[in-house]
Amino acid sequence: PSEKPMRPITLLIAADGKVSGCAGVNRYFGPVICDDAAGTIRFGTLGATMMAGPGLEYERAYLKMLSTVDSFSISGGRLLLKSGGNTVAEFTAAK
């Protein structure tokens, strides 16, 4: 089995239409289009730093998953990212 990343996976969506975070090994960044009223979200082409480390397979799977996301909801302080109606990722707000 592949190793898990050493760092937590994070996601920050800024008001200026940019997304960034840690994908487990590398930092990633790029454009995002989010429509709060419609509950839709699309991640553009994401760039990432190119460091090596344990967890690269998890990281690749996470970044690939983001490209499939088409909607979101917020429930109980959690951000749910969805693809075709199915929840594919869940984030809890940082404290």
Side-chain angles (χ1 to χ4, degrees):
S2 62
E3 295 180 72
K4 289 191 175 182
M6 291 172 49
R7 298 190 303 170
I9 293 176
T10 61
L11 174 82
L12 174 66
I13 299 173
D16 66 356
K18 302 253 190 290
V19 63
S20 62
C22 175
V25 180
N26 290 286
R27 303 268 322 144
Y28 67 95
F29 45 87
V32 63
I33 298 169
C34 186
D35 183 333
D36 291 344
T40 60
I41 188 167
R42 291 268 183 207
F43 295 93
T45 302
L46 300 176
T49 56
M50 302 291 288
M51 295 185 302
L56 284 175
E57 286 182 40
Y58 277 82
E59 178 172 281
R60 282 188 208 101
Y62 170 71
L63 294 172
K64 183 176 181 182
M65 177 274 303
L66 285 181
S67 72
T68 73
V69 170
D70 55 19
S71 64
F72 74 95
S73 64
I74 297 173
S75 174
R78 295 173 191 261
L79 169 67
L80 306 176
L81 297 180
K82 301 178 180 189
S83 177
N86 297 314
T87 299
V88 293
E90 182 178 313
F91 290 90
T92 303
K95 300 210 169 28

